[in-house]
């Protein structure tokens, strides 16, 4: 059974940035596990370390100390090129500002990761078209990103994130730049992906959306509140 298989494991993850004012500890020993098939929302104040935490999972950034395992891979052992290649196969990343390439069409954007990673040697165009159908925007396949709405751009970005069929989808405020209706539709799409077996970790400022996610983790000052609550119970002698 896959229910209790940990797909994401962060062990004692610390992240310290060097700044002009001196070292800044942004993650203070985070332990975090996500099982296969879970849908997790990450909430917390601006500057608390949510993006830094997400970047540990995608390998976009690496911890100063601690270990990160995602989809069976120990990320801290890989160099930058290896991480990029691993990410392309195993994690779909969705950003607040979509980050589609403006000079190629929507369809070409969705096909791009297939070329980069070298999977799906078959009909990539056909697969990209199927993904655009899945996210409900097959009609804008040949348009450029600037010609479609924000909600459509985010759908395209999700199709792109799915192109190599990753187990894990990670979103950093994926609805943060959308109106309420578009945000709700993107959220519904995430729920559908979870029902199809994907594992999703999504940072959001939207309390309404977070309230609909089965598991909500709050980051405050570089720590997960669920961990500090356990600490408090221990302190209280439980
Ligand atoms: P959040 O996503 O919760 O708003 P971030 O993870 O982006 O927070 O940032 C947490 C803290 O780390 C902030 O104080 C931010 O200024 C700082 N920070 C983030 N990235 C860097 C960096 N590359 N160099 C220095 N400080 C950084
Ligand atoms: Mg952030």
């Amino acid at each position: 059974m896959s229910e209790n298989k940990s797909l994401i494991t962060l062990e004692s993850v610390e992240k310290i940035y060097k700044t002009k004012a001196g070292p800044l500890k942004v993650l203070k020993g985070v332990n975090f596990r996500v099982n296969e098939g879970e849908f997790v929302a990450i909430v917390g104040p601006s500057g608390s370390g949510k993006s830094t935490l997400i970047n540990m999972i995608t390998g976009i950034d690496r911890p100063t100390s601690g270990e990160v395992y995602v989809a069976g891979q120990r990320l801290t052992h890989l160099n930058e090129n290896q991480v990029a290649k691993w990410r392309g196969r195993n994690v779909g990343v969705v950003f607040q500002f979509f980050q589609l390439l403006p000079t190629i069409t929507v369809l070409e954007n969705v096909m791009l990761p297939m070329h980069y990673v070298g999977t799906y040697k078959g009909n990539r165009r056909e697969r990209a078209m199927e993904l655009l159908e899945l996210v409900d925007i097959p009609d804008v396949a040949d348009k450029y990103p600037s010609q479609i709405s924000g909600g459509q751009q985010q759908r395209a970005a999700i199709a792109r994130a799915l192109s190599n069929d990753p187990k894990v989808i990670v979103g950093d405020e994926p609805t943060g730049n959308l109106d309420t209706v578009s945000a709700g539709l993107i959220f519904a799409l995430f729920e559908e992906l979870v029902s199809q077996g994907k594992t999703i970790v999504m940072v959001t400022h939207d309390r309404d959306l977070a309230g609909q996610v089965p598991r909500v983790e709050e980051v405050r000052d570089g720590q997960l509140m669920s961990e500090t609550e356990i600490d408090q119970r221990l302190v209280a002698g439980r």
Side-chain angles (χ1 to χ4, degrees):
M1 293 297 287
S2 60
E3 263 98 338
N4 284 317
K5 209 172 130 199
S6 178
L7 200 56
I8 299 168
T9 305
L10 272 62
E11 288 177 353
S12 307
V13 167
E14 288 194 334
K15 181 66 189 181
I16 302 170
Y17 287 116
K18 292 191 189 92
T19 71
K20 281 176 194 157
L24 180 67
K25 197 185 268 195
V26 172
L27 294 178
K28 299 176 176 174
V30 171
N31 295 291
F32 181 46
R33 292 169 73 98
V34 178
N35 289 333
E36 195 165 348
E38 268 198 292
F39 188 6
V40 186
I42 307 280
V43 299
S46 180
S48 58
K50 302 182 299 297
S51 293
T52 305
L53 177 66
I54 283 289
N55 291 344
M56 298 294 124
I57 297 170
T58 57
I60 286 171
D61 207 345
R62 61 172 65 235
T64 307
S65 66
E67 286 296 339
V68 179
Y69 302 87
V70 181
Q73 179 65 55
R74 185 180 187 176
L75 294 194
T76 37
H77 267 41
L78 302 181
N79 67 33
E80 215 167 299
N81 282 336
Q82 290 169 323
V83 169
K85 194 154 197 178
W86 168 85
R87 184 188 313 123
R89 286 179 195 276
N90 293 282
V91 185
V93 191
V94 184
F95 301 98
Q96 183 174 1
F97 295 103
F98 326 130
Q99 291 179 238
L100 299 168
L101 284 184
T103 55
I104 57 175
T105 67
V106 166
L107 187 74
E108 288 162 348
N109 266 282
V110 177
M111 290 167 65
L112 205 57
M114 301 182 208
H115 288 288
Y116 181 61
V117 171
T119 49
Y120 293 102
K121 291 213 165 38
N123 197 333
R124 292 169 173 165
R125 189 167 288 272
E126 194 176 283
R127 171 159 172 82
M129 208 53 223
E130 283 168 10
L131 287 168
L132 288 176
E133 275 157 25
L134 178 78
V135 300
D136 234 13
I137 52 164
D139 44 318
V140 302
D142 296 324
K143 292 203 187 295
Y144 290 87
S146 63
Q147 298 176 308
I148 63 176
S149 73
Q152 289 173 323
Q153 288 184 60
Q154 195 60 301
R155 283 171 185 274
I158 293 169
R160 178 185 58 183
L162 292 169
S163 60
N164 290 319
D165 200 22
K167 282 187 172 174
V168 182
I169 311 280
V170 165
D172 194 349
E173 309 211 24
T175 65
N177 197 39
L178 300 176
D179 61 81
T180 312
V181 173
S182 304
L185 292 169
I186 292 298
F187 183 76
L189 184 54
F190 277 178
E191 286 185 313
E192 192 183 322
L193 293 172
V194 170
S195 77
Q196 290 170 9
K198 298 293 185 196
T199 303
I200 300 187
V201 180
M202 174 186 80
V203 173
T204 183
H205 264 122
D206 189 326
R207 289 271 166 185
D208 283 347
L209 291 185
Q212 296 171 59
V213 178
R215 177 177 166 197
V216 181
E217 289 287 349
E218 182 170 359
V219 180
R220 273 191 189 262
D221 198 20
Q223 291 184 298
L224 286 184
M225 289 312 284
S226 56
E227 285 198 81
T228 57
E229 278 157 21
I230 290 165
D231 286 345
Q232 279 155 17
R233 284 202 298 272
L234 289 175
V235 168
R238 232 206 67 181

